[in-house]
Amino acid sequence: MKPIVVLICGLLLLVGCHTPAPPPTPDPDAELIEKGRQIFFNETFDGNGRTCGTCHPAENNFVIDPAFIASLPDDDPLFVAEFNPALKENFENPRLMREFGLITENLDGFDDLANKFTLRGVPHTLGLRFTIDSSLGPRTGWSGDGSPGDGSLRSFATGAVIQHFTKTLNRVAGVDFRLPTNAELDALEAFQFSLGRQQELTLPLPLKGTVANRGQAIFNDLTLGKCSACHFNAGANFNPNIPFPVTGNLNFNTGVEDLPDQPQDLTGELVPPDDGFGIPGDGTFNTPALIEAADTGPFFHNNAIETIEGSVAFYNGDAFNNSPAGQLIQQATGSGINLDGTQVVEVAAFLRVINALENIRQSIELLEPVARKSHQTVEQGLQLLDLAGRETEDSIMVLSAGGLHPEAVQHLKEALRLTRKAKRSIFSKSHLARQAIEQQQKARAELVETS
Amino acid sequence: MLKHIIIAATIFILIFGAFSVQAEKSTEMFIPIGQSPGLSGEYTVMGKIDQVNARDQSIKMSGPSGSYTVRMTKHTLIYLDRSKTQLPNSYGTLADCKVGDMAEVKFVDNARSKPIEWIKVQKAK
């Protein structure tokens, strides 16, 4: 009995003596970012119970889609229109929200709520540092005009609170919600800018996969795929090598609204056309980044297309080629976009691989503090492991669904097993996190040449 | 090729107005006077309405920075801020702008030489 007591005491002593390794160079904005994180996920602004995280959950790449929505309990604030009588009419369309992940927006005014609205998907909030700026000012939201005030990301939360957080349709500040303070807007902006990648990709990447590599070549070929004209380096900015009067993140009318069989239109529900930027709208929508695309569908402002392959194929169709943006491409290059079936899949494969690479980068970034024991609390460590696991699940899904890189998928599955084990472990979290990182690195080495 | 792109881009810009800076206008209506993020205190002017001239669509205001006259156009939005009385804000007309009301104005392109893009008029009762 005595040796067991001694052993237990020894173990407790070891645990008690554990001193976390010092964190790497502290981010000067770390405190502000953490404050923003707390606000983003916990602050309801005295409204209907929703937070920013209601529609931008960290565990689902900061987006909501029908599968995620189906996993929520019926009393989740997302469904406030289903249980708050004051918001029952003209606040959301619960059917279209649950079936297609669509949110109601009154971008053209609040004077005719029953008839004047748009239904849009939720864009993710990753990599925002590179997806907002244009030479004419900031572009936020699906149509680039999503923020009130000065139109910046910092101001976005003010408009979101008014649109989505209100207790009643009167939308009286101080009664139905409170507006974010300047300090809160600063913190929210810092937090949002901290999400996702902090660097642009530089294409071409030395990809190992034959199909994805061909997809990358098509993507970058301004006479074939022509994708990199508007998505330079698979991001959200116009190609700076093409002379154009404006630069950065631009708006285009790509004809998505002209798709003949949009899923929500097939339901018989009222779905007014979305006129995009401005009041009245000019039909244009903002260019999103593609690095984060493959695991953040459905795609386009109205969630019209479920798969990444379908989204690439969209640019072959009449809706795009007859659109103002399609016409611009034709005038500039002498032809529209006409990819065949294999080429569509190849471009999609490229998008899947760069998304998996970004997920791997994020997974490693999340695992590192646990491996170094530099996280602040046990709870924070568990959150990091949880998010790392979810990113790894995304990597597996994105590659497997495209039939890509089975060897990498095996490494990722092992990384996921180790990450989950680390989450359950009391004494070996750091060791297991290090092993998971090694598996992530092996997976990455299957996708791209590493120096 | 480059020439074609430039010509096409120019045509595109002439036809489509997607290259103007624009913030969301619809929720601006619900933001009380002096609280517009990134604008209030930096690019807007607040003051009391001293005179309303319906004939030339102008309003004379006075505030901490002095007295000034702002011009309106048919595109100027007039927001009535009733949040102090806990009533919903709404759009208004020039007739709703009364002498003595507190107001906030935002100029087109944030340039004080230009007409105003919007005016918020606080209705305290």
Side-chain angles (χ1 to χ4, degrees):
Chain A
M1 186 71 179
K2 198 176 173 186
I4 293 172
V5 173
V6 170
L7 184 66
I8 290 171
C9 288
L11 281 172
L12 287 173
L13 200 64
L14 276 174
V15 174
C17 289
H18 158 71
T19 47
T25 314
D27 183 339
D29 290 332
E31 202 173 314
L32 190 63
I33 290 169
E34 181 52 31
K35 186 180 164 194
R37 185 193 315 278
Q38 293 299 329
I39 297 167
F40 194 91
F41 293 115
N42 300 320
E43 181 57 62
T44 62
F45 294 100
D46 298 337
N48 59 33
R50 288 176 168 179
T51 67
C52 304
T54 301
C55 285
H56 299 284
E59 64 270 31
N60 201 52
N61 297 314
F62 295 88
V63 294
I64 52 172
D65 50 58
F68 179 82
I69 291 170
S71 73
L72 298 173
D74 284 345
D75 61 352
D76 189 278
L78 180 66
F79 307 126
V80 67
E82 295 178 18
F83 54 76
N84 180 342
L87 299 174
K88 193 175 177 194
E89 301 289 334
N90 304 326
F91 183 67
E92 300 283 7
N93 181 323
R95 178 183 174 190
L96 296 182
M97 175 189 279
R98 285 185 181 271
E99 202 168 338
F100 302 111
L102 294 169
I103 299 291
T104 299
E105 306 262 3
N106 300 95
L107 291 163
D108 284 352
F110 291 80
D111 51 319
D112 182 8
L113 295 177
N115 298 295
K116 207 160 90 177
F117 59 89
T118 59
L119 290 153
R120 293 185 176 179
V122 174
H124 64 76
T125 54
L126 299 165
L128 289 173
R129 203 171 281 283
F130 308 107
T131 61
I132 289 175
D133 292 339
S134 79
S135 56
L136 286 170
R139 292 282 191 238
T140 60
W142 277 119
S143 47
D145 55 352
S147 293
D150 61 0
S152 67
L153 177 65
R154 181 180 176 277
S155 300
F156 196 91
T158 299
V161 166
I162 293 166
Q163 174 74 62
H164 304 296
F165 287 42
T166 190
K167 284 178 191 159
T168 78
L169 299 180
N170 289 332
R171 294 186 161 90
V172 180
V175 177
D176 295 309
F177 49 78
R178 72 169 180 82
L179 291 177
T181 64
N182 280 324
E184 287 172 326
L185 292 178
D186 288 341
L188 283 168
E189 182 191 48
F191 171 63
Q192 288 173 91
F193 275 136
S194 78
L195 299 175
R197 65 197 158 89
Q198 301 294 306
Q199 283 186 320
E200 287 277 42
L201 275 185
T202 303
L203 301 182
L205 297 172
L207 298 180
K208 285 185 170 175
T210 310
V211 175
N213 216 15
R214 176 61 185 148
Q216 178 173 230
I218 295 168
F219 185 95
N220 281 328
D221 188 337
L222 289 173
T223 64
L224 186 55
K226 309 173 188 184
C227 316
S228 68
C230 296
H231 296 281
F232 185 61
N233 283 329
N237 296 321
F238 196 78
N239 192 328
N241 302 317
I242 299 174
F244 210 58
V246 283
T247 58
N249 182 227
L250 305 181
N251 268 31
F252 294 99
N253 181 345
T254 57
V256 172
E257 281 291 311
D258 297 326
L259 281 166
D261 285 313
Q262 294 176 49
Q264 61 272 30
D265 288 342
L266 306 176
T267 62
E269 298 282 330
L270 175 62
V271 184
D274 190 336
D275 60 7
F277 181 92
I279 305 174
D282 63 6
T284 70
F285 292 87
N286 193 235
T287 311
L290 300 185
I291 298 160
E292 293 84 3
D295 63 354
T296 55
F299 302 96
F300 302 112
H301 64 272
N302 52 5
N303 284 356
I305 297 182
E306 180 65 28
T307 64
I308 194 79
E309 283 75 14
S311 302
V312 176
F314 160 77
Y315 292 92
N316 283 335
D318 288 345
F320 174 74
N321 281 313
N322 293 333
S323 73
Q327 294 295 306
L328 179 66
I329 289 274
Q330 286 189 38
Q331 286 167 20
T333 66
S335 64
I337 296 177
N338 297 295
L339 302 179
D340 70 18
T342 52
Q343 291 170 323
V344 166
V345 170
E346 283 157 1
V347 172
F350 163 63
L351 297 177
R352 287 180 179 278
V353 168
I354 58 172
N355 181 257
L357 285 168
E358 171 58 15
N359 291 338
I360 290 169
R361 186 199 66 74
Q362 282 192 54
S363 300
I364 293 172
E365 189 176 274
L366 291 159
L367 288 164
E368 275 175 343
V370 182
R372 285 197 309 263
K373 300 180 184 174
S374 64
H375 53 284
Q376 302 294 311
T377 62
V378 173
E379 186 59 34
Q380 191 188 42
L382 291 174
Q383 280 178 0
L384 290 168
L385 288 167
D386 182 56
L387 290 175
R390 288 174 191 270
E391 289 299 330
T392 311
E393 286 171 348
D394 284 350
S395 299
I396 294 167
M397 178 272 293
V398 159
L399 293 175
S400 300
L404 298 161
H405 293 288
E407 304 85 0
V409 170
Q410 287 309 310
H411 289 301
L412 289 165
K413 284 181 176 173
E414 180 61 10
L416 180 60
R417 187 188 71 78
L418 291 162
T419 303
R420 286 175 174 161
K421 195 173 173 187
K423 200 177 161 191
R424 292 191 304 270
S425 170
I426 296 172
F427 301 112
S428 303
K429 275 188 167 48
S430 168
H431 176 66
L432 290 164
R434 273 199 303 276
Q435 287 186 319
I437 288 172
E438 283 170 17
Q439 290 298 322
Q440 296 276 357
Q441 289 167 335
K442 284 181 181 173
R444 181 164 58 194
E446 292 288 340
L447 304 181
V448 65
E449 300 285 353
T450 50
S451 51
Chain B
M1 165 85 169
L2 292 182
K3 190 180 165 195
H4 285 155
I5 290 173
I6 292 168
I7 292 169
T10 307
I11 294 168
F12 188 76
I13 289 163
L14 289 174
I15 296 173
F16 306 101
F19 296 121
S20 55
V21 179
Q22 190 154 342
E24 189 194 45
K25 296 284 194 307
S26 58
T27 52
E28 188 69 51
M29 180 172 74
F30 299 99
I31 302 173
I33 192 168
Q35 294 183 42
S36 187
L39 292 180
S40 295
E42 292 185 46
Y43 297 107
T44 62
V45 171
M46 282 178 65
K48 272 212 161 99
I49 296 176
D50 291 333
Q51 199 175 37
V52 179
N53 191 330
R55 201 178 56 184
D56 66 358
Q57 297 280 297
S58 68
I59 291 178
K60 190 177 176 191
M61 299 168 64
S62 61
S65 55
S67 182
Y68 37 87
T69 300
V70 297
R71 289 178 295 124
M72 304 175 77
T73 69
K74 62 179 181 180
H75 301 297
T76 301
L77 294 167
I78 300 172
Y79 303 121
L80 303 181
D81 172 17
R82 297 194 179 91
S83 56
K84 261 200 163 177
T85 57
Q86 302 197 343
L87 291 170
N89 294 358
S90 65
Y91 291 108
T93 65
L94 193 61
D96 296 308
C97 304
K98 305 290 188 193
V99 171
D101 284 345
M102 183 62 80
E104 178 182 24
V105 297
K106 180 197 178 292
F107 297 90
V108 170
D109 297 335
N110 295 328
R112 293 194 182 195
S113 58
K114 293 190 175 179
I116 55 173
E117 187 178 312
W118 54 251
I119 178 169
K120 286 181 187 172
V121 182
Q122 190 177 56
K123 294 295 178 186
K125 56 184 176 182

